[in-house]
Amino acid sequence: MKKISFGLVALAVSLTAAAQEGNDLYKYGSLSPVVSIGGSTASATLNQVTNFLANQLANNRDIKNISDSRIAIASFVNINNLDETNKLGMELAENMMHEMHVRGFGVVDFKTRESLKVKPNGDFVFSRDVHELRKQYNIHYFLSGTIGRNADGVVINARLVQADTSLVVSTAQSFLSNRDLQRVLNEQGVTS
Protein backbone atom coordinates (compact mmCIF):
# COMPACT_ATOMS: atom_id res chain seq x y z
CA MET A 1 0.00 0.00 0.00
CA LYS A 2 2.89 2.36 0.79
CA LYS A 3 4.33 1.81 -2.71
CA ILE A 4 0.99 2.72 -4.33
CA SER A 5 0.60 5.82 -2.15
CA PHE A 6 4.16 6.92 -2.88
CA GLY A 7 3.58 6.39 -6.62
CA LEU A 8 0.39 8.46 -6.57
CA VAL A 9 2.10 11.26 -4.64
CA ALA A 10 5.03 11.23 -7.09
CA LEU A 11 2.62 11.40 -10.04
CA ALA A 12 0.69 14.28 -8.48
CA VAL A 13 3.92 16.18 -7.74
CA SER A 14 5.21 15.71 -11.30
CA LEU A 15 1.91 16.83 -12.85
CA THR A 16 1.81 19.85 -10.54
CA ALA A 17 5.40 20.74 -11.43
CA ALA A 18 4.64 20.45 -15.14
CA ALA A 19 1.59 22.69 -14.75
CA GLN A 20 3.58 25.26 -12.79
CA GLU A 21 6.19 25.37 -15.56
CA GLY A 22 3.39 26.29 -17.97
CA ASN A 23 3.71 23.07 -19.96
CA ASP A 24 0.92 21.83 -22.17
CA LEU A 25 -0.28 18.77 -20.25
CA TYR A 26 -2.30 17.55 -23.21
CA LYS A 27 0.91 17.11 -25.19
CA TYR A 28 2.47 15.02 -22.43
CA GLY A 29 -0.36 12.52 -22.15
CA SER A 30 -2.75 13.98 -19.61
CA LEU A 31 -6.20 12.42 -19.80
CA SER A 32 -7.89 15.77 -20.38
CA PRO A 33 -6.98 18.51 -22.87
CA VAL A 34 -5.84 21.07 -20.31
CA VAL A 35 -3.62 24.01 -21.07
CA SER A 36 -2.55 26.89 -18.92
CA ILE A 37 -3.17 29.99 -21.04
CA GLY A 38 -1.97 33.38 -19.97
CA GLY A 39 1.62 34.14 -20.82
CA SER A 40 3.57 37.07 -19.48
CA THR A 41 2.85 39.03 -22.67
CA ALA A 42 0.09 39.08 -25.28
CA SER A 43 2.42 37.46 -27.81
CA ALA A 44 3.26 34.66 -25.39
CA THR A 45 -0.44 34.09 -24.75
CA LEU A 46 -1.19 33.95 -28.48
CA ASN A 47 1.72 31.54 -28.98
CA GLN A 48 0.39 29.30 -26.20
CA VAL A 49 -3.06 29.21 -27.79
CA THR A 50 -1.77 28.35 -31.27
CA ASN A 51 0.70 25.80 -29.88
CA PHE A 52 -2.15 24.10 -28.01
CA LEU A 53 -4.41 24.12 -31.09
CA ALA A 54 -1.62 22.73 -33.29
CA ASN A 55 -0.90 19.93 -30.81
CA GLN A 56 -4.57 18.94 -30.82
CA LEU A 57 -4.75 19.06 -34.63
CA ALA A 58 -1.60 16.93 -34.95
CA ASN A 59 -2.77 14.43 -32.33
CA ASN A 60 -6.35 14.18 -33.65
CA ARG A 61 -5.49 13.98 -37.34
CA ASP A 62 -6.75 11.35 -39.72
CA ILE A 63 -3.96 11.86 -42.26
CA LYS A 64 -1.25 9.25 -42.79
CA ASN A 65 1.55 11.12 -44.58
CA ILE A 66 1.52 14.68 -43.27
CA SER A 67 4.68 15.88 -45.05
CA ASP A 68 3.20 15.09 -48.49
CA SER A 69 -0.16 16.64 -47.62
CA ARG A 70 -0.39 20.28 -48.68
CA ILE A 71 -2.26 22.51 -46.22
CA ALA A 72 -3.48 26.06 -46.87
CA ILE A 73 -4.18 28.03 -43.69
CA ALA A 74 -6.85 30.73 -43.82
CA SER A 75 -7.82 33.47 -41.37
CA PHE A 76 -9.91 32.47 -38.38
CA VAL A 77 -13.34 34.06 -38.80
CA ASN A 78 -16.17 35.46 -36.71
CA ILE A 79 -18.54 32.59 -35.94
CA ASN A 80 -21.51 34.89 -36.59
CA ASN A 81 -20.21 36.09 -39.97
CA LEU A 82 -17.96 33.68 -41.87
CA ASP A 83 -16.83 36.45 -44.23
CA GLU A 84 -15.48 38.60 -41.37
CA THR A 85 -12.19 38.42 -39.51
CA ASN A 86 -10.00 40.80 -37.54
CA LYS A 87 -6.34 41.05 -36.65
CA LEU A 88 -6.73 38.29 -34.04
CA GLY A 89 -8.10 35.93 -36.72
CA MET A 90 -5.27 36.80 -39.10
CA GLU A 91 -2.62 36.42 -36.39
CA LEU A 92 -4.01 33.02 -35.38
CA ALA A 93 -3.62 31.91 -39.02
CA GLU A 94 -0.07 33.25 -39.23
CA ASN A 95 0.93 31.52 -35.99
CA MET A 96 -0.71 28.28 -37.13
CA MET A 97 1.44 28.33 -40.30
CA HIS A 98 4.52 28.12 -38.10
CA GLU A 99 3.07 25.62 -35.64
CA MET A 100 1.90 23.20 -38.34
CA HIS A 101 5.16 23.54 -40.30
CA VAL A 102 7.33 22.63 -37.30
CA ARG A 103 5.13 19.56 -36.75
CA GLY A 104 6.00 18.31 -40.24
CA PHE A 105 2.90 19.33 -42.20
CA GLY A 106 3.39 20.57 -45.77
CA VAL A 107 2.14 24.15 -45.46
CA VAL A 108 1.35 26.10 -48.65
CA ASP A 109 1.46 29.89 -48.47
CA PHE A 110 -1.09 30.90 -51.08
CA LYS A 111 -0.39 34.61 -50.46
CA THR A 112 2.93 34.50 -52.32
CA ARG A 113 3.29 36.24 -55.65
CA GLU A 114 4.69 34.50 -58.72
CA SER A 115 7.63 36.90 -58.56
CA LEU A 116 9.17 39.51 -56.29
CA LYS A 117 7.79 43.02 -56.29
CA VAL A 118 10.70 45.45 -55.91
CA LYS A 119 9.80 48.92 -54.66
CA PRO A 120 11.81 51.81 -53.21
CA ASN A 121 10.53 50.99 -49.70
CA GLY A 122 11.35 47.26 -49.86
CA ASP A 123 11.11 43.95 -51.71
CA PHE A 124 7.81 42.09 -51.37
CA VAL A 125 6.72 38.53 -52.04
CA PHE A 126 3.35 38.46 -50.20
CA SER A 127 0.11 39.95 -51.47
CA ARG A 128 -3.63 39.94 -50.84
CA ASP A 129 -4.37 41.03 -54.43
CA VAL A 130 -5.78 37.94 -56.16
CA HIS A 131 -4.47 39.12 -59.54
CA GLU A 132 -0.87 39.05 -58.26
CA LEU A 133 -1.06 35.53 -56.83
CA ARG A 134 -0.24 32.22 -58.41
CA LYS A 135 -3.01 30.73 -60.52
CA GLN A 136 -2.83 27.14 -59.24
CA TYR A 137 -1.93 25.48 -55.99
CA ASN A 138 -1.62 21.84 -55.11
CA ILE A 139 -3.71 22.03 -51.91
CA HIS A 140 -5.07 18.91 -50.23
CA TYR A 141 -6.38 20.41 -46.97
CA PHE A 142 -7.65 23.71 -45.60
CA LEU A 143 -6.99 24.73 -42.00
CA SER A 144 -9.08 27.49 -40.51
CA GLY A 145 -11.46 28.08 -37.68
CA THR A 146 -13.97 30.25 -35.95
CA ILE A 147 -13.81 32.68 -33.05
CA GLY A 148 -16.96 32.84 -30.95
CA ARG A 149 -17.55 35.28 -28.11
CA ASN A 150 -19.33 34.39 -24.89
CA ALA A 151 -19.63 36.07 -21.49
CA ASP A 152 -16.30 34.63 -20.29
CA GLY A 153 -14.13 35.28 -23.37
CA VAL A 154 -13.73 33.66 -26.78
CA VAL A 155 -13.84 30.06 -27.89
CA ILE A 156 -11.49 29.27 -30.76
CA ASN A 157 -12.39 26.25 -32.88
CA ALA A 158 -9.94 25.03 -35.52
CA ARG A 159 -10.45 22.37 -38.14
CA LEU A 160 -8.48 20.69 -40.87
CA VAL A 161 -10.74 19.94 -43.85
CA GLN A 162 -10.02 17.84 -46.93
CA ALA A 163 -10.16 20.24 -49.91
CA ASP A 164 -11.92 18.01 -52.44
CA THR A 165 -14.52 16.39 -50.13
CA SER A 166 -14.92 18.86 -47.22
CA LEU A 167 -14.36 15.93 -44.86
CA VAL A 168 -13.11 17.14 -41.47
CA VAL A 169 -9.90 15.23 -40.70
CA SER A 170 -8.91 16.94 -37.45
CA THR A 171 -10.29 19.44 -34.94
CA ALA A 172 -9.00 21.52 -32.06
CA GLN A 173 -10.47 23.92 -29.53
CA SER A 174 -9.09 26.51 -27.16
CA PHE A 175 -10.40 29.30 -24.97
CA LEU A 176 -9.16 32.79 -24.13
CA SER A 177 -10.60 34.40 -21.03
CA ASN A 178 -11.74 38.03 -21.21
CA ARG A 179 -8.64 39.04 -19.22
CA ASP A 180 -6.24 37.32 -21.63
CA LEU A 181 -8.27 38.40 -24.65
CA GLN A 182 -8.16 42.06 -23.62
CA ARG A 183 -4.40 41.86 -23.10
CA VAL A 184 -3.97 40.32 -26.57
CA LEU A 185 -6.33 42.84 -28.18
CA ASN A 186 -4.71 45.82 -26.48
CA GLU A 187 -1.10 44.80 -27.03
CA GLN A 188 -1.63 43.65 -30.61
CA GLY A 189 -3.74 46.65 -31.59
CA VAL A 190 -6.68 44.36 -32.39
CA THR A 191 -10.27 45.47 -32.29
CA SER A 192 -12.81 43.01 -30.94
Side-chain angles (χ1 to χ4, degrees), residues 73-113:
I73 302 174
S75 302
F76 283 59
V77 297
N78 179 341
I79 196 166
N80 296 316
N81 182 349
L82 301 180
D83 285 328
E84 179 182 284
T85 191
N86 60 17
K87 191 168 180 188
L88 176 61
M90 290 187 279
E91 292 219 12
L92 283 168
E94 289 293 320
N95 283 16
M96 290 302 293
M97 289 182 84
H98 164 73
E99 294 293 344
M100 299 308 284
H101 175 74
V102 298
R103 284 165 180 76
F105 287 84
V107 178
V108 175
D109 192 338
F110 56 89
K111 292 183 293 289
T112 55
R113 293 181 169 104

Side-chain angles (χ1 to χ4, degrees), residues 35-49 88 92 149 151-154 156 174-190 192:
V35 66
S36 173
I37 301 294
S40 58
T41 66
S43 296
T45 299
L46 203 54
N47 284 348
Q48 287 176 346
V49 169
L88 176 61
L92 283 168
R149 266 200 169 281
D152 301 319
V154 292
I156 302 165
S174 188
F175 176 79
L176 268 176
S177 70
N178 280 325
R179 180 184 63 84
D180 289 329
L181 177 64
Q182 282 308 310
R183 189 170 64 208
V184 168
L185 296 177
N186 291 337
E187 187 172 312
Q188 298 294 332
V190 179
S192 51

